Amino acid sequence: KQMKSSSRREGKTFRDFQQLRFGNHTKQEDFLAEMSRLERKLSNESVVWPTLFLLGAAKAASSTFHDLLNQHWQLCTARSSNSGQTAKEVGILFATKIKVFLLSLYGKAPGGHDERCKELAQSRSAPFWYMDNHPIYLHGFEHKMKTMIPANLHPQLRFLIVLREPVARAISQFNHQRAADCAWWCEHGPLDAAHFSDGFNASADFVARSLYAPDLERWFQAFDRRQFLVLNTR
């Protein structure tokens, strides 16, 4: 009876979620209140949690690795429940209502939105993993990972870190930012290795994100080093 009652509650929660996504909320405060209500109703077991995290670094080909991994038959990524399109940089650690966010982009446990993982969950023929990828996770998000992901999942987590030659990575990030936000960055010319030191008076952030050792040490203190695979792109 308890199992049936729990199942009915979860089913109603998911129907409520569909109304939340597609309903017509005229006031933002009503929408936020509904989000909070659904967050309280959802259990950790009712939603899909990613257990493979691509931590960055930024401008080190992490997006390319994400696309390659997504072709593996046991690896699944977030998909919009509306369009079905793959979501590249999910960023669950930025979510304020994490279970509602997971339900939106990963789906209902055990199989989630992705058809491959749905099939594996139903057949129980092989394990599967959902991925989350965000290029700035490497830079100071180990504490959020530890507190926002349920503790019982911590041993299952796997972390892929993609690094790049530090100067080349910093130059690439600077030029990318300059192209994306010209109003602020176009007073600086594009950088290359010969003029590396000229462009970094504007922000120390580009240099800090290329200092990999402190970030790696913090992650290795938060989780077992055997849970990490560090790759160097050339």
Side-chain angles (χ1 to χ4, degrees), residues 44-45 149-156:
N44 287 340
E45 295 73 26
I149 304 297
N152 65 304
L153 294 179
H154 288 182
Q156 303 175 35

Side-chain angles (χ1 to χ4, degrees), residues 64-129:
T64 299
F65 274 87
H66 173 272
D67 293 341
L68 291 171
L69 288 169
N70 193 43
Q71 297 177 36
H72 194 283
W73 64 283
Q74 288 175 276
L75 297 178
C76 301
T77 193
R79 296 174 187 273
S80 167
S81 59
N82 282 339
S83 66
Q85 296 296 311
T86 298
K88 184 183 73 171
E89 295 176 1
V90 184
I92 68 167
L93 300 185
F94 299 101
T96 56
K97 302 290 186 290
I98 189 169
K99 287 177 286 189
V100 174
F101 189 68
L102 290 170
L103 181 61
S104 171
L105 288 180
Y106 291 98
K108 183 179 178 180
H113 290 324
D114 195 293
E115 292 300 326
R116 291 173 297 179
C117 284
K118 272 186 182 178
E119 188 174 327
L120 289 172
Q122 291 170 357
S123 64
R124 299 184 180 181
S125 57
F128 59 90
W129 296 267

Side-chain angles (χ1 to χ4, degrees), residues 7-22 34 37-38 103:
S7 177
R8 283 196 296 269
R9 285 197 302 272
E10 293 293 355
K12 184 177 185 303
T13 300
F14 288 110
R15 288 193 297 274
D16 290 346
F17 171 75
Q18 293 299 323
Q19 293 173 4
L20 171 64
R21 282 189 60 81
F22 306 117
E34 189 71 2
R37 186 182 70 81
L38 290 181
L103 181 61

Side-chain angles (χ1 to χ4, degrees), residues 199-224:
F200 289 97
N201 294 326
S203 173
D205 182 63
F206 300 107
V207 175
R209 293 191 186 185
S210 285
L211 301 177
Y212 304 133
D215 289 325
L216 291 172
E217 283 301 325
R218 286 192 293 268
W219 277 97
F220 293 160
Q221 289 172 11
F223 295 93
D224 193 317

